């Protein structure tokens, strides 16, 4: 987009500070904060290019803009100034509605990757820079970055700079360059809890609380974690009925808006917990929500860690060990299969 112009003169690059970044910024730094950055963006969009024929204004993390700031930038989408190009980069949260409407009304082209799967992006980018990863190394990268596929480009460029082109890299080679773990889908937390694996569940929780992903552009707050867990157990509660025996029964009981596999998983979890187990799980959830609202002096992170550990322990006690299901559940499934025949 610079079309040969000097980056030093023609490129204006801004990042909208997120709430945490703005709070932690130095008080004597007058460039921090949403309003000051947006004012700089507006100035760049309204003033003519200096010593160049064009100017490219790039704004990162537009999802961190508040509503007023979105409205301030929206007019420049509908009526861009001559010689000035505006690039809005997703991230930081949900884009303000004023910007979203202006982009749709102006039919602005959207550029995105062919895939957002971390393993697919890794394969493409490694091929582009001319390096190769062993299958074990590729799996390590995909597992470590989770859903944070946006970090793949930076990582492969770093690996190419460190090892040169045409290098084949092993797990030992890439380990020191991985950085912090990326985000994971929320179902990894609920799956680990259902299996009764507290260690894996807590690891998934920590990644949800500290990392981002394509689905969650900001780390989750503990209250958002509870908002994920409550529907998970409510689904089990709706299936706590001896008349619901089959996968089809479960789909119907859940309104027909769920696929058979997750419906069967929810039914099996409901059967393992039983009425008493579900009652205990909901009690833990209710207490954790009260604690997050100030019922105790514990930190939010401690409250949510205790909750996850308790739920995983409960699932383990109710028969969700990695070795299989309770005998009673297997017998019920066996009766179901016999009836279907």
């Amino acid at each position: 987009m610079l079309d040969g112009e000097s980056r030093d003169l023609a490129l204006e690059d801004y990042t909208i500070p997120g709430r945490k970044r703005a709070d932690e910024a130095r008080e004597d730094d007058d460039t921090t904060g949403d309003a000051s950055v947006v004012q700089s963006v507006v100035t760049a969009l309204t003033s003519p290019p200096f010593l160049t024929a064009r100017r490219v204004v790039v704004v990162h993390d537009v999802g961190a803009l508040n509503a007023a700031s979105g409205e301030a930038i929206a007019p420049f989408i509908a009526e861009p100034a001559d010689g000035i190009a505006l690039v809005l980069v997703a991230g930081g949260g949900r884009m303000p509605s004023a910007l979203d409407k202006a982009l749709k009304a102006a039919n602005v082209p959207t550029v995105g990757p062919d895939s957002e799967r971390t393993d697919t992006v890794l394969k493409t980018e490694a091929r582009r820079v001319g390096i190769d990863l062993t299958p074990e190394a590729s799996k390590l990268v995909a597992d470590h970055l989770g859903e944070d596929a946006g970090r793949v480009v930076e990582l492969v460029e770093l690996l190419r700079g460190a090892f040169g082109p045409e290098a084949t890299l092993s797990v030992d080679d890439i380990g020191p360059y991985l950085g912090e773990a990326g985000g994971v889908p929320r179902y990894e937390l609920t799956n680990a809890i259902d299996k009764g694996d507290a260690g894996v569940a807590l690891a998934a929780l920590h990644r949800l609380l500290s990392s981002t992903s394509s689905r969650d552009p900001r780390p989750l707050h503990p209250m958002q974690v509870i908002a994920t867990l409550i529907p998970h157990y409510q689904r089990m509660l709706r299936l706590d009925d001896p008349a619901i025996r089959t996968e089809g029964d479960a789909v119907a009981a859940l309104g027909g808006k769920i696929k058979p596999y997750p419906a069967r998983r929810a039914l099996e979890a409901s059967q393992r917990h039983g009425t008493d187990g579900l009652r205990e799980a909901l009690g833990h959830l209710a207490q954790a929500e009260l604690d997050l609202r100030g019922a105790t002096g514990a930190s939010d992170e401690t409250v949510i860690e205790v909750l996850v550990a308790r739920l995983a322990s409960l699932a383990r006690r109710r028969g969700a060990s990695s070795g299989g299901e309770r005998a009673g559940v297997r017998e019920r499934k066996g009766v179901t299969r016999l009836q279907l025949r």
Side-chain angles (χ1 to χ4, degrees):
M1 296 185 72
L2 287 169
D3 196 23
E5 297 287 355
S6 167
R7 293 175 63 91
D8 293 336
L9 297 176
L11 177 63
E12 298 278 351
D13 196 294
Y14 301 95
T15 298
I16 305 300
R19 185 177 305 169
K20 184 176 180 181
R21 261 184 68 186
D23 291 344
E24 294 178 347
R26 300 194 318 273
E27 293 182 359
D28 60 347
D29 187 349
D30 60 5
T31 64
T32 60
D34 184 325
S36 60
V37 175
V38 171
Q39 183 57 54
S40 299
V41 171
V42 171
T43 300
L45 293 173
T46 54
S47 58
F50 179 69
L51 298 179
T52 61
R54 63 190 285 105
R55 172 183 293 146
V56 177
V57 181
V58 181
V59 185
H60 298 269
D61 289 349
V62 293
L65 289 166
N66 59 35
S69 297
E71 292 174 356
I73 296 176
F76 301 100
I77 297 174
E79 298 180 8
D82 292 338
I84 298 180
L86 173 62
V87 180
L88 302 177
V89 185
R94 180 175 297 177
M95 185 181 300
S97 59
L99 274 186
D100 190 42
K101 291 178 181 177
L103 290 169
K104 292 178 180 178
N107 196 26
V108 172
T110 300
V111 179
D114 294 333
S115 172
E116 293 186 359
R117 286 177 53 94
T118 301
D119 54 352
T120 303
V121 176
L122 175 62
K123 185 181 298 184
T124 301
E125 292 300 316
R127 186 184 304 116
R128 179 182 64 82
V129 302
I131 62 174
D132 192 21
L133 279 71
T134 65
E136 295 79 10
S138 296
K139 185 178 185 304
L140 174 62
V141 172
D143 291 344
H144 187 80
L145 297 186
E147 291 196 321
D148 197 359
R151 290 170 54 192
V152 169
V153 176
E154 181 181 2
L155 175 62
V156 296
E157 292 286 359
L158 177 62
L159 293 174
R160 183 184 186 278
F163 296 96
E166 300 183 4
T168 299
L169 307 180
S170 67
V171 168
D172 292 337
D173 294 326
I174 67 173
Y177 300 91
L178 290 177
E180 295 183 359
V184 294
R186 300 187 191 192
Y187 64 75
E188 287 201 9
L189 172 62
T190 53
N191 285 353
I193 290 175
D194 289 346
K195 292 177 181 178
D197 193 330
V200 173
L202 287 170
L205 172 66
H206 292 156
R207 293 176 73 167
L208 288 172
L209 294 176
S210 61
S211 305
T212 62
S213 67
S214 58
R215 192 165 303 159
D216 295 309
R218 293 181 181 179
L220 295 188
H221 185 276
M223 195 65 81
Q224 290 177 289
V225 176
I226 287 188
T228 298
L229 294 173
I230 288 176
H232 182 68
Y233 282 91
Q234 286 177 332
R235 179 181 291 177
M236 294 185 207
L237 194 63
R238 293 178 63 183
L239 299 177
D240 184 32
D241 183 343
I244 301 174
R245 293 175 172 271
T246 68
E247 187 178 90
D249 293 340
V251 172
L254 295 173
K257 298 180 180 180
I258 184 174
K259 294 183 179 180
Y261 177 72
R264 174 165 57 83
R265 289 286 300 271
L267 175 59
E268 292 172 351
S270 176
Q271 292 171 342
R272 287 195 299 267
H273 279 79
T275 302
D276 291 341
L278 291 174
R279 183 183 293 113
E280 184 176 345
L282 292 173
H284 291 324
L285 287 164
Q287 185 59 55
E289 185 167 351
L290 290 174
D291 292 344
L292 287 176
R293 297 181 186 277
T296 68
S299 68
D300 290 352
E301 184 174 353
T302 299
V303 170
I304 202 67
E305 286 178 342
V306 170
L307 171 64
V308 168
R310 283 174 172 171
L311 292 176
S313 175
L314 171 63
R316 186 173 64 253
R317 285 189 285 110
R318 304 301 293 190
S321 64
S322 58
E325 302 161 335
R326 289 185 302 160
V329 175
R330 287 197 298 268
E331 291 170 2
R332 180 178 292 183
K333 290 175 62 180
V335 172
T336 301
R337 287 195 294 269
L338 180 62
Q339 289 173 338
L340 288 174
R341 294 192 189 97

